[in-house]
Amino acid sequence: MKTTYIKPLLPLRDIVIFPSMVVPLFVGREKSITALQEVMKSDKSIVLVTQKNSEIDDPEGKDLYGYGCLSKVLQLLKLPDGTVKVLVEGEKRVKILKHNDKKEEKFLKCEVETADDLNVSKELDAFALGLVKKYEKLLVLNKKEFNDGANNLKNLKNASQIANNISSNLSIQINEKQELLEILDLKKRLEKIFSFIEKETSVLSVEKKIRGRVKNQMEKTQREYYLNEQL
């Protein structure tokens, strides 16, 4: 039997938190701020779960995805406008078993169990290191600066940590990131990340070729125009 926990829940708009990632969040909703204040009194751990629709202001269990990330609050800062800036670190994937989202509750709570990686093997580390190289080439192609997350990748050797880091930094849709959070089979998750990187690399390569053709055509047109002016 897996151990289950009842924890305060913080719903997220337009972001998915992965284990081992440190992320700043700005929180403005009253229930969410109350949940944060509550966890600061105890072990500072809270379940972060992404909303299916970011437009919903007062989400219930049905509005949230079924997997989230048990996270630790590292820092909490109240801002002058009443919102809260919080620095969180993802710790473990969790499956949400039950919501306590009654309207009269001061904040959302949920019962969760840890969702550990499946089919972990040392062979996957080599595959993951290959993914790091592919992801770095994608950043170069995308002309993106290597941020702290990408730089940290170079120091990681563990396939699970590499998968979480790339998943967090990939430029993909929120539902696609959530899909990566919910794939517990580590090999399948790495393969899915590989397919996302391949797809984005392919799109960027085509765009680069088109830009090159347009540039060449414009330069040719300008040359012809200049020659005609000389005649």
Side-chain angles (χ1 to χ4, degrees):
M1 276 290 286
K2 284 191 176 180
T3 311
T4 65
Y5 317 83
I6 293 174
K7 291 282 180 189
L9 183 152
L10 182 69
L12 304 173
R13 303 185 208 247
D14 299 325
I15 186 170
V16 178
I17 305 295
F18 289 85
S20 76
M21 302 307 297
V22 176
V23 183
L25 302 171
F26 290 90
V27 181
R29 290 183 276 197
E30 196 177 327
K31 277 188 177 180
S32 297
I33 292 172
T34 306
L36 286 168
Q37 288 168 340
E38 192 64 26
V39 303
M40 293 308 281
K41 297 175 193 170
S42 55
D43 62 357
K44 298 182 182 176
S45 70
I46 191 164
V47 177
L48 303 177
V49 188
T50 306
Q51 292 181 204
K52 294 173 185 174
N53 178 356
S54 62
E55 304 285 314
I56 296 172
D57 282 329
D58 192 11
E60 299 173 12
K62 63 181 171 53
D63 304 312
L64 304 168
Y65 284 109
Y67 282 79
C69 192
L70 183 66
S71 306
K72 185 78 78 180
V73 177
L74 302 178
Q75 205 174 47
L76 189 143
L77 181 67
K78 288 180 183 173
L79 301 174
D81 63 357
T83 60
V84 168
K85 183 184 179 184
V86 59
L87 192 67
V88 294
E89 180 176 18
E91 292 190 327
K92 294 174 186 171
R93 267 176 181 74
V94 288
K95 181 181 181 181
I96 293 148
L97 305 173
K98 198 164 71 178
H99 287 277
N100 183 353
D101 54 7
K102 292 174 187 158
K103 290 290 181 188
E104 63 270 18
E105 292 287 343
K106 290 181 181 174
F107 54 87
L108 299 176
K109 288 182 194 166
C110 61
E111 184 179 349
V112 299
E113 67 177 18
T114 307
D116 296 319
D117 287 342
L118 304 174
N119 297 330
V120 180
S121 67
K122 289 303 289 178
E123 289 79 58
L124 292 179
D125 291 347
F127 181 26
L129 289 170
L131 272 187
V132 172
K133 291 190 174 71
K134 284 190 81 69
Y135 179 63
E136 286 174 343
K137 283 178 185 169
L138 174 63
L139 287 180
V140 171
L141 192 60
N142 212 351
K143 294 186 175 160
K144 275 194 175 177
E145 292 294 319
F146 280 69
N147 59 17
D148 290 344
N151 282 326
N152 288 343
L153 262 177
K154 293 170 186 168
N155 305 321
L156 300 178
K157 301 285 183 277
N158 173 293
S160 183
Q161 288 180 334
I162 288 170
N164 288 329
N165 188 303
I166 296 179
S167 297
S168 181
N169 286 294
L170 272 176
S171 300
I172 54 177
Q173 299 294 321
I174 289 298
N175 62 314
E176 292 173 324
K177 287 202 177 194
Q178 182 67 30
E179 184 186 352
L180 289 174
L181 184 74
E182 294 186 13
I183 298 173
L184 301 185
D185 185 305
L186 185 55
K187 184 169 187 283
K188 286 182 181 169
R189 195 187 315 148
L190 289 166
E191 286 168 350
K192 192 70 184 175
I193 291 167
F194 177 84
S195 73
F196 281 136
I197 292 175
E198 284 283 279
K199 185 178 166 188
E200 198 177 342
T201 302
S202 172
V203 168
L204 286 170
S205 299
V206 169
E207 285 176 356
K208 192 177 177 185
K209 280 178 188 166
I210 291 169
R211 279 199 304 271
R213 281 192 204 130
V214 169
K215 186 172 177 241
N216 289 340
Q217 189 59 46
M218 284 175 70
E219 286 172 351
K220 186 184 173 191
T221 306
Q222 282 173 342
R223 279 197 304 272
E224 287 171 355
Y225 175 79
Y226 179 73
L227 286 169
N228 288 335
E229 284 289 298
Q230 301 300 309
L231 295 174

